Amino acid sequence: MSEDTAAVAAPQHTPVAKESSVSALLASPAGRNTGLVVALVLLCLGGVITAGDRFADVDNVLTILRLAAVIGVVSIGMTFVITGGGIDLSVGAIVALSSVWATTLATQGIANDTHWIVIVFTALLVGGACGLVNGMLIAYGRVVAFIATLASLAAARGLAEIISNRKTQIVNVPGFAAFFDASVLGVPVLVVIFAVVAVAGWVLLNRTTFGRRTFAVGGNPEAARLAGIDVRRHTVLLYALLGLCCGLAAAMLIARTTTGSATHGGLYELDAIAAVVIGGTLLSGGRGTIAGTVFGVLIFTTLSNVFTLNNLSISAQAVAKGAIIVVAVLLQQRLARRSGA
């Protein structure tokens, strides 16, 4: 065999092939999750170095997990919507409206006469209804998702202010806060709820027909329609699912703060979308990962905690989050181009 023939026969040793192998690894689910784990570990090391025992304290770790639980539930729902090719800017306002509606004097009166679970059901009902309206506007009204949910953001937040008269509503229902403040084997109930939602979301997305249809609708809606999938109906279901997640998050937030307020859920849309994107879900749809979203939520919550412990401003946190989002999107585009090549 000549040298030229041998060179042609062994292309795997070339730098281009090696670079392609690295890109393929990074583009794989295992590669993405490994990168997120490494990022989270490095962030924790930074917290230990800069804040010492204050960061490593068990109570602080539990605080991080409690904070991650609420936005984490919203992010799980957002993963489905973005994987299905949509977007929702109204999740924070839906959380606020659900929290206000579930803590009105009328709702609390019914809860006192029956059971505190009424508050949770009310929050779920309001959140699901808001998601259903968003889905109907987008799927059957053919309103662009960005515009429809932007309008819902303004409407839901305004309605929450009207119902609460811009006042914070205190929860006085026996047993409600006590249940959510409890722990299971040392793990806070809020964190357990987040874990259950994440596991259920993973099963729904990866092991059911609903999940396969979500990938199909997000990847190519027209091809999904020709394959027999009712794209509009599925879109409505995705937004209704996200609305239910917002309602559950509102109930968790009410329990954590013992209040319902029109100011709840501020910038939740930014945090949820950011966690989903850096977790590996494509903004263009067709690919999503629940595990990546969970890591994304933990990364952002830990980052905020490190900034807070080091007395850094909220503005600095916002700048850092924005930079992370930009880097994540640029990395997605780079990997997508290499995969296409």
Side-chain angles (χ1 to χ4, degrees), residues 95-109 111 118-120 122-123 126 160 163-164 167-173 176 250-251 253-255 257-262 264:
V95 168
L97 178 60
S98 299
S99 75
V100 166
W101 208 313
T103 56
T104 59
L105 292 177
T107 304
Q108 292 194 56
V118 170
I119 294 177
V120 178
T122 302
V126 174
I163 294 174
S164 65
K167 296 179 180 179
T168 299
Q169 300 174 166
I170 308 299
V171 178
N172 292 306
V173 178
F176 176 73
L253 189 58
I254 293 170
T257 63
T258 65
T259 63
S261 173
H264 280 338

Side-chain angles (χ1 to χ4, degrees), residues 45-56 305-306 309-310:
L45 288 176
V48 171
I49 293 172
T50 58
D53 293 338
R54 289 183 301 155
F55 177 83
N305 183 261
V306 172
L309 290 178
N310 286 281

Side-chain angles (χ1 to χ4, degrees), residues 74-135:
V74 177
S75 300
I76 297 298
M78 185 69 80
T79 302
F80 280 88
V81 167
I82 294 180
T83 301
I87 194 76
D88 194 337
L89 303 179
S90 65
V91 291
I94 292 176
V95 168
L97 178 60
S98 299
S99 75
V100 166
W101 208 313
T103 56
T104 59
L105 292 177
T107 304
Q108 292 194 56
I110 297 174
N112 281 316
D113 293 337
T114 55
H115 194 276
W116 58 259
I117 199 68
V118 170
I119 294 177
V120 178
F121 283 148
T122 302
L124 289 172
L125 183 62
V126 174
C130 291
L132 189 63
V133 170
N134 281 339

Side-chain angles (χ1 to χ4, degrees), residues 128-341:
C130 291
L132 189 63
V133 170
N134 281 339
M136 295 289 287
L137 286 173
I138 294 166
Y140 294 98
R142 299 186 183 279
V143 181
V144 177
F146 182 90
I147 300 300
T149 57
L150 186 64
S152 296
L153 182 156
R157 188 74 71 177
L159 183 57
E161 292 178 351
I162 292 173
I163 294 174
S164 65
N165 197 24
R166 296 189 175 184
K167 296 179 180 179
T168 299
Q169 300 174 166
I170 308 299
V171 178
N172 292 306
V173 178
F176 176 73
F179 173 81
F180 288 94
D181 286 339
S183 298
V184 179
L185 299 176
V187 180
V189 168
L190 292 179
V191 180
V192 173
I193 294 174
F194 175 36
V196 170
V197 171
V199 171
W202 185 90
V203 172
L204 184 61
L205 186 62
N206 297 285
R207 294 292 184 268
T208 67
T209 302
F210 184 87
R212 289 192 290 273
R213 289 177 177 175
T214 300
F215 286 118
V217 170
N220 191 326
E222 182 61 21
R225 186 186 66 81
L226 294 176
I229 299 174
D230 189 336
V231 175
R232 291 188 296 182
R233 177 175 175 272
H234 194 79
T235 299
V236 172
L237 291 177
L238 289 175
Y239 281 93
L241 176 62
L242 176 54
L244 287 174
C245 288
C246 290
L248 179 57
M252 296 165 68
L253 189 58
I254 293 170
R256 188 164 64 83
T257 63
T258 65
T259 63
S261 173
T263 60
H264 280 338
L267 295 181
Y268 270 23
E269 52 278 352
L270 170 63
D271 292 339
I273 293 173
V276 171
V277 170
I278 73 166
T281 298
L282 288 180
L283 272 173
S284 56
R287 190 184 78 188
T289 163
I290 297 296
T293 296
V294 171
F295 282 121
V297 170
L298 292 176
I299 286 173
F300 273 116
T301 308
T302 304
L303 178 68
S304 297
N305 183 261
V306 172
F307 272 57
T308 301
L309 290 178
N310 286 281
N311 297 320
L312 297 176
S313 67
I314 296 177
S315 300
Q317 294 182 35
V319 171
K321 288 181 179 180
I324 292 174
I325 296 170
V326 171
V327 171
V329 173
L330 290 176
L331 182 59
Q332 280 190 1
Q333 293 176 346
R334 180 182 178 86
L335 293 178
R337 286 196 299 268
R338 291 189 178 279
S339 298

Side-chain angles (χ1 to χ4, degrees), residues 14-35:
T14 63
V16 175
K18 290 181 179 179
E19 187 176 355
S20 299
S21 299
V22 173
S23 297
L25 176 63
L26 292 175
S28 67
R32 290 194 302 270
N33 290 339
T34 300

